[in-house]
Amino acid sequence: MHGEPRDGRIVIVGASLAGLRAAETLREEGFAGTLTLIGEEPHTPYDRPPLSKQVLLGTVSADKTGLPQRREVDAEWKLGVRATGLDPVGKQVLLADGEKVPFDRLLIATGTRARPWPNPAEAALDGVFTLRTIEDAGRLAERLDAGPRRVLVVGAGFTGSEIASACRERGLEVTVAERGPAPLVGALGGTLGALAAKLQRAHGVDLRCGVTVTALEGNGRLTGARFSDGTGIDADVAVVALGAVRNTEWLAESGIAAGPRGVTCDAGCRAFDMYGIVTDDVFAAGDVARFPHPLFEYQLLSLEHWGNAVAQAEVAAHNMIHAGPRRRPHLTVPAFWSSQFGLNIKSVGVPTFSDQVVIAQGSLKDARLVAVYGYRGRVTAAVSVNQAKSLEYYQRLIETAAPFPPAPGAADRIESPEPVPSDVPDPKVLSHGPTVALTGHLPDRRLTLVQPAR
Amino acid sequence: MAADTLFHRITDYANRADPYPLYAELREAGVARQEDGSYLVGTYHAIEALLHDPRISSDRRKRTVPDETAEEGLPPAFIGLDDPEHHRLRALAMRSFGPPHTPDRIDGMHDEITRIVKDLIGSFRGEERIDVVDDFAYPLPVTVICRLLGVPIEDEPRFREWSDAIVAGIDPTPGEDPTERPRAAAEARKAMGLYLGELAEKRRTHPSDDMLSAFVGGDSSEGQLTPLEIMTTSVLLLIAGHETTVNLISNGILTLLRHPDELARLRAEPALMPHAVEELLRYEPPVQMLPQRTPLADIEVAGVTIPQGAPLILLLASGNRDPLRFPDPDRFDPTRDDHQHLGFGSGIHSCFGAPLARLEAQIALNELIQYLDHPRLVEDPPPYRRSPVLRGPRHLLVESG
């Protein structure tokens, strides 16, 4: 087709899942120009979900999590060097080693990093970990192999809970400290948060909610921690699972609308500049992107989901090499999964975008159920516990803005069909950041993610 | 015979060889209410949606109209139950069949299946004419499911009779001997259940590496099948392992013989076979319809309200040929990439044995087309089995050499 920009120079900053899938899609769809991938980590792209599961259990070693490539990607890979700046006028990316990489079109896919423990001296104690990279996972797995007397997990979001689960499966003593009222409550609300709390305790986790860790103690080596309720524990490993920080600092001087909440882009993955004008040569995808979604009242969403990274990268890549009307919107219904404490948890939609929740199928008692979330009388999300095959139906309800609560008659509706408040807490009260951040505003509700000061 | 409704024509044996024009008519009609109050659905997206709808029951006892085929005797197996009971029984059966507890079971049967296939081919080697059904497509899955369950193959004549009666019992053809067939089916099911239950009991003291042994023994921390549930479950698996894959293989050979270019291509590129089997499951699915769904609430499909308790029949084979879903749907194209067929159903009841059926068909078709030298169909169309549900040739005579 005339005018399709299939040539020139494309640079992708970020060589993880989104960057790789974008590169593959560019070639798949016929991009014939030069392609450069820049990655801060020295590794070829690898998969992160196993890092808090199989790797910690010791069933897969950290260096065996490489992502399979869908096709040959003819590209120059600059790995082990970070991007430090973007010159949008001169159209080049500045690298830490001084190199300047020119581009015609740029994809920002720099993702997130683990939020560090706020006290640098305590963070430096031997035995204090975060978990984001294969190095992190390899070191933590090694330390768990050595049989610590007790592991402290700070923050009971998905990552923290999966780490605690892996530790219990290995027979290690675990304390989980969460500032909010329950594990997973920031992503799933009160009903499933309470279920998660019950299951963690049933699996022998020393779960402490409504407390913060006031100090990690030790002298060179971690020995224990103090809590805000005045109690304390002995521990020789602490994993800080306080959520993620978006890697946008390198864009601070670029004029791109980038900040702690991510890089704001339109539904076609084109980044906005600081004046709210959409660019046509800078795109964003993956955890770092923040985009409007029509199913959620065009609020800006930031998703830390594996599937979103793939889908958004594919849309971004397509739009980078197609003009005008042939561009596509990124409309995928958000979805993620987690496995922990013998549970397979799967979510579609945005559970935090809700005011009510109902157990539509199954039962809390059996820990096998589908919880459906509604906002102002329409279905906005569904979460299955050990019942993933049932989710597809609810995805269709979300996509069609079906009325909430969903129509009665489910063959396995066991418990009361009465909706209850979804009890999604203000993200400020959580230890960990939410994995879905609704970063726009609703007039009557606080759904703004406020990044806590470090 | 009652009025000439669409479902009469679909189930009419005279149309067994080519029901596809009738399916096109059904898709045109959208949702088709039949005069007996049952509803037919034949478009891909509607079937797909209904297969995932939690308000659709698989338990025919939930029907409000009198169910003439309600069986006495054994309670339903998990295929005819809803969650949570369905899930409990299926998960217990899966423990010795697939992941997460037995991830290698099916993969581990690759060599054994290949050997059975080669033995079967060896038994008719040199003969100019074979019956693909009787000599090959039937004995293979029967031998495999017997090994897997732990049923002596020598008893095949006994359970073949039961199996025939059970399959006749699920035949939804309207207007024909409405009480006799179900009664005979119930009796056959009971007899087969007692037979398999007895075999399983013997495994308590003499366990082996088969599924019946696993049903009676092993770790009970996640629950255990009761003796009655062992009967219903093993009857289901023996029938399903028996009556479906035979059609996949014989429909497969029939289709390939009707498409000599594709046959030649697959002979030259055996690695294409997994792809081709998926296309076969779309193009000529062994299970044509799911005749025993029932809505638990009034459900609207394509502008028609299907009332609670009405018999609901999902024409999977029609959905597989829906032009709104598959471009050029009546073309057999083993290289088709988009082949998300309904051949194994979908949703919580999606085919339990699918990995085994795939493996058997891939090996069987590859070996047989390599063996056959210039094969020719003796009769086209071949004579078909009676059942409109489990549709396939009764005989498939092929000459080669």
Side-chain angles (χ1 to χ4, degrees):
Chain A
M1 187 176 158
H2 178 71
E4 299 289 11
R6 297 283 165 81
D7 295 308
R9 298 161 299 183
I10 287 183
V11 171
I12 299 175
V13 184
S16 191
L17 180 61
L20 173 64
R21 293 293 179 248
E24 290 163 352
T25 307
L26 285 167
R27 291 302 187 203
E28 185 69 31
E29 297 197 7
F31 175 64
T34 63
L35 184 55
T36 306
L37 281 104
I38 296 163
E40 182 181 2
E41 293 187 61
H43 314 286
T44 52
Y46 59 88
D47 212 17
R48 295 184 202 275
L51 299 185
S52 54
K53 306 175 184 78
Q54 292 87 342
V55 172
L56 293 191
L57 286 173
T59 56
V60 172
S61 83
D63 57 2
K64 292 283 188 299
T65 60
L67 278 167
Q69 292 204 7
R70 291 174 172 176
R71 54 164 291 132
E72 283 288 305
V73 177
D74 175 20
E76 184 185 356
W77 295 76
K78 293 181 184 292
L79 297 177
V81 57
R82 68 185 301 170
T84 53
L86 165 63
D87 171 4
V89 179
K91 297 186 79 158
Q92 47 190 2
V93 175
L94 316 179
L95 302 187
D97 62 8
E99 192 183 346
K100 294 176 177 171
V101 185
F103 64 83
D104 297 307
R105 274 151 290 154
L106 172 72
L107 177 64
I108 299 168
T110 42
T112 63
R113 62 183 184 274
R115 181 180 301 285
W117 185 245
N119 179 323
E122 293 176 8
L125 290 170
D126 182 36
V128 178
F129 295 86
T130 55
L131 180 53
R132 177 75 191 171
T133 65
I134 53 176
E135 286 84 0
D136 295 341
R139 282 193 296 259
L140 179 56
E142 204 172 288
R143 193 61 69 93
L144 298 183
D145 277 341
R149 281 166 302 144
R150 178 169 292 276
V151 178
L152 168 66
V153 178
V154 188
F158 279 104
T159 306
S161 298
E162 288 178 5
I163 294 166
S165 173
C167 289
R168 286 306 299 146
E169 205 168 318
R170 297 178 67 134
L172 299 171
E173 296 299 322
V174 181
T175 296
V176 173
E178 168 54 50
R179 186 174 164 191
L184 310 185
V185 69
L188 305 181
T191 301
L192 292 188
L195 175 67
K198 203 178 109 193
L199 280 162
Q200 290 207 3
R201 292 198 167 109
H203 279 82
V205 172
D206 169 29
L207 174 65
R208 302 175 183 215
C209 296
V211 299
T212 51
V213 176
T214 51
L216 297 175
E217 298 174 325
N219 188 5
R221 216 188 151 90
L222 179 76
T223 54
R226 308 295 313 167
F227 300 124
S228 55
D229 61 2
T231 61
I233 55 161
D234 293 336
D236 29 24
V237 172
V239 191
V240 176
L242 297 177
V245 181
R246 296 191 158 72
N247 292 320
T248 55
E249 292 83 354
W250 67 287
L251 296 165
E253 309 289 315
S254 68
I256 296 292
R261 296 171 183 177
V263 176
T264 308
C265 60
D266 73 357
C269 308
R270 298 179 298 178
F272 284 101
D273 74 8
M274 57 195 273
Y275 302 111
I277 301 172
V278 74
T279 61
D280 210 30
D281 50 6
V282 179
F283 293 72
D287 291 8
V288 77
R290 177 175 181 238
F291 64 99
H293 202 305
L295 282 176
F296 306 100
E297 300 185 353
Y298 292 96
Q299 285 207 63
L300 294 170
L301 292 184
S302 299
L303 303 174
E304 297 171 26
H305 299 163
W306 195 96
N308 181 66
V310 174
Q312 199 171 17
E314 289 170 354
V315 172
H318 173 89
N319 291 346
M320 289 174 91
I321 54 172
H322 287 85
R326 288 166 69 88
R327 284 183 170 154
R328 296 202 309 245
H330 175 52
L331 285 178
T332 326
V333 176
F336 68 86
W337 79 95
S338 172
S339 51
Q340 49 179 286
F341 301 106
L343 300 182
N344 171 278
I345 300 171
K346 221 176 153 195
S347 165
V348 291
V350 178
T352 47
F353 191 85
S354 66
D355 47 29
Q356 289 193 303
V357 64
V358 65
I359 305 299
Q361 289 183 247
S363 75
L364 287 163
K365 182 172 63 64
D366 298 337
R368 183 165 189 273
L369 58 93
V370 180
V372 178
Y373 297 73
Y375 180 66
R376 291 182 172 177
R378 70 180 174 90
V379 176
T380 52
V383 174
S384 66
V385 177
N386 286 354
Q387 199 168 344
K389 275 188 196 161
S390 299
L391 267 193
E392 203 163 315
Y393 171 71
Y394 298 100
Q395 175 163 342
R396 201 164 283 128
L397 298 189
I398 297 164
E399 285 165 347
T400 53
F404 178 91
D412 64 338
R413 170 174 271 174
I414 294 166
E415 288 176 358
S416 158
E418 287 308 311
V420 298
S422 63
D423 288 337
V424 176
D426 187 322
K428 277 194 298 186
V429 308
L430 303 171
S431 288
H432 59 91
T435 52
V436 180
L438 287 157
T439 57
H441 296 269
L442 283 179
D444 64 330
R445 298 191 72 216
R446 290 195 63 128
L447 277 168
T448 307
L449 169 64
V450 179
Q451 297 286 341
R454 288 197 17 211
Chain B
M1 188 159 156
D4 191 25
T5 64
L6 187 53
F7 198 52
H8 276 99
R9 287 186 288 143
I10 288 171
T11 52
D12 184 351
Y13 184 72
N15 294 318
R16 192 72 74 249
D18 185 14
Y20 294 100
L22 297 169
Y23 296 159
E25 211 176 299
L26 169 61
R27 289 191 301 268
E28 201 63 36
V31 175
R33 184 182 186 279
Q34 304 299 291
E35 65 173 17
D36 65 353
S38 61
Y39 287 77
L40 312 182
V41 180
T43 53
Y44 182 94
H45 293 290
I47 294 171
E48 234 271 332
L50 289 167
L51 287 172
H52 288 94
D53 195 318
R55 301 168 297 165
I56 301 297
S57 173
S58 289
D59 187 341
R60 58 192 313 153
R61 295 170 302 185
K62 300 281 169 67
R63 287 187 176 170
T64 49
V65 294
D67 186 355
E68 290 159 343
T69 58
E71 290 172 6
E72 301 144 29
L74 290 184
F78 62 76
I79 197 174
L81 293 172
D82 298 328
D83 275 357
E85 200 54 7
H86 156 266
H87 173 74
R88 184 180 70 82
L89 294 171
R90 180 173 164 131
L92 286 171
M94 190 55 87
R95 286 174 63 89
S96 54
F97 185 77
H101 295 93
T102 324
D104 299 332
R105 169 79 83 177
I106 300 309
D107 195 44
M109 293 188 77
H110 184 279
D111 292 351
E112 194 175 353
I113 293 171
T114 307
R115 202 167 40 72
I116 297 168
V117 166
K118 289 191 162 156
D119 284 352
L120 288 169
I121 291 175
S123 68
F124 53 70
R125 189 174 295 280
E127 288 183 29
E128 194 181 302
R129 174 185 283 204
I130 60 167
D131 180 348
V132 170
V133 178
D134 281 349
D135 300 340
F136 188 71
Y138 177 78
L140 169 64
V142 172
T143 310
V144 171
I145 193 67
C146 284
R147 298 264 169 95
L148 193 56
L149 280 174
V151 175
I153 188 78
E154 304 78 59
D155 290 346
E156 190 272 336
R158 280 175 85 189
F159 55 73
R160 181 172 207 174
E161 210 170 290
W162 293 325
S163 191
D164 285 345
I166 294 168
V167 171
I170 60 165
D171 184 342
T173 303
E176 291 178 5
D177 52 353
T179 52
E180 178 48 30
R181 272 189 291 125
R183 201 191 52 73
E187 261 174 32
R189 224 173 133 244
K190 207 164 159 184
M192 190 186 253
L194 288 170
Y195 163 78
L196 290 167
E198 229 169 83
L199 282 180
E201 281 308 312
K202 287 182 193 151
R203 294 297 197 287
R204 281 190 202 278
T205 44
H206 298 90
S208 173
D209 179 32
D210 54 46
M211 288 179 73
L212 287 180
S213 299
F215 289 168
V216 294
D219 171 25
S220 60
S221 61
E222 288 175 49
Q224 200 110 37
L225 296 169
T226 65
L228 188 59
E229 289 163 355
I230 289 174
M231 289 187 214
T232 58
T233 303
S234 48
V235 167
L236 170 64
L237 299 185
L238 184 57
I239 299 287
H242 210 93
E243 302 285 356
T244 53
T245 313
V246 50
N247 295 338
L248 179 56
I249 296 169
S250 39
N251 287 339
I253 290 294
L254 175 62
T255 303
L256 289 175
L257 291 177
R258 285 171 174 171
H259 296 85
D261 292 350
E262 307 301 346
L263 175 64
R265 178 170 186 168
L266 282 160
R267 269 185 83 133
E269 292 177 66
L272 256 184
M273 191 53 85
H275 228 83
V277 167
E278 296 312 305
E279 174 70 347
L280 280 171
L281 284 157
R282 184 193 72 80
Y283 185 77
E284 286 279 24
V287 180
Q288 295 268 301
M289 65 184 86
L290 300 174
Q292 59 172 21
R293 295 298 205 269
T294 307
L296 299 176
D298 293 356
I299 286 177
E300 200 194 298
V301 180
V304 175
T305 300
I306 303 177
Q308 175 188 345
L312 173 60
I313 300 167
L314 305 178
L315 277 297
L316 303 177
S318 169
N320 281 350
R321 300 280 191 110
D322 187 342
L324 291 177
R325 175 61 184 82
F326 297 105
D328 205 358
D330 292 324
R331 195 172 107 78
F332 172 68
D333 176 7
T335 63
R336 193 185 285 269
D337 274 327
D338 174 14
H339 50 211
Q340 193 80 45
H341 58 76
L342 299 170
F344 288 132
S346 193
I348 64 168
H349 286 277
S350 64
C351 178
F352 180 93
L356 178 61
R358 286 190 162 110
L359 188 63
E360 289 182 47
Q362 289 163 11
I363 296 172
L365 293 174
N366 258 341
E367 295 289 339
L368 191 61
I369 63 171
Q370 290 301 330
Y371 162 75
L372 291 172
D373 176 27
H374 298 94
R376 300 171 298 282
L377 278 174
V378 173
E379 206 182 351
D380 190 9
Y384 271 79
R385 302 170 75 188
R386 181 192 162 82
S387 174
V389 178
L390 306 175
R391 174 178 164 273
R394 173 62 195 89
H395 297 287
L396 185 62
L397 299 178
V398 172
E399 287 179 348
S400 72

